[in-house]
Amino acid sequence: MAKWTPTHEAPEPLEGPVVATITGGTILWFAMFVVQLPFYGWFADRELLWWLWTCAAGGGLGLIGIWYVRGRDAALKRHAAEEAARAERGEQPG
């Protein structure tokens, strides 16, 4: 089997409002959990409690995601500021 070699370079990753996107998704997961909570007995009777706990897990993991993307966003901004300062001083990027 021949080794695959790319024929072109990969495109740059898309950047957008990542923190807002993750925060919005987390809010939706928690909202779905809260909306389903009054129907706990109905879900339990039909052995569908996993729906409820999936929403809770999505919200909890979303909190971890918010922490992660906020740190990533701050690191990207620090790096851009350092590169701008280097360019201003006339140093080589590195």
Side-chain angles (χ1 to χ4, degrees):
M1 186 181 244
K3 181 179 177 185
W4 179 81
T5 56
T7 56
H8 55 81
E9 289 187 35
E12 290 292 320
L14 296 174
E15 291 294 333
V18 180
V19 176
T21 302
I22 301 300
T23 302
T26 302
I27 290 169
L28 285 175
W29 278 115
F30 276 126
M32 289 188 297
F33 174 74
V34 170
V35 166
Q36 292 177 2
L37 203 52
F39 303 101
Y40 186 90
W42 187 89
F43 285 112
D45 292 344
R46 289 159 181 79
E47 297 182 3
L48 295 173
L49 282 177
W50 64 271
W51 284 41
L52 189 74
W53 299 118
T54 298
C55 294
L61 291 171
L63 291 176
I64 296 169
I66 291 170
W67 171 76
Y68 178 83
V69 297
R70 287 185 66 197
R72 177 185 178 272
D73 195 42
L76 288 173
K77 287 178 182 175
R78 269 194 318 271
H79 178 72
E82 289 171 3
E83 289 296 316
R86 282 188 187 139
E88 195 174 284
R89 292 191 306 257
E91 295 178 7
Q92 292 291 329

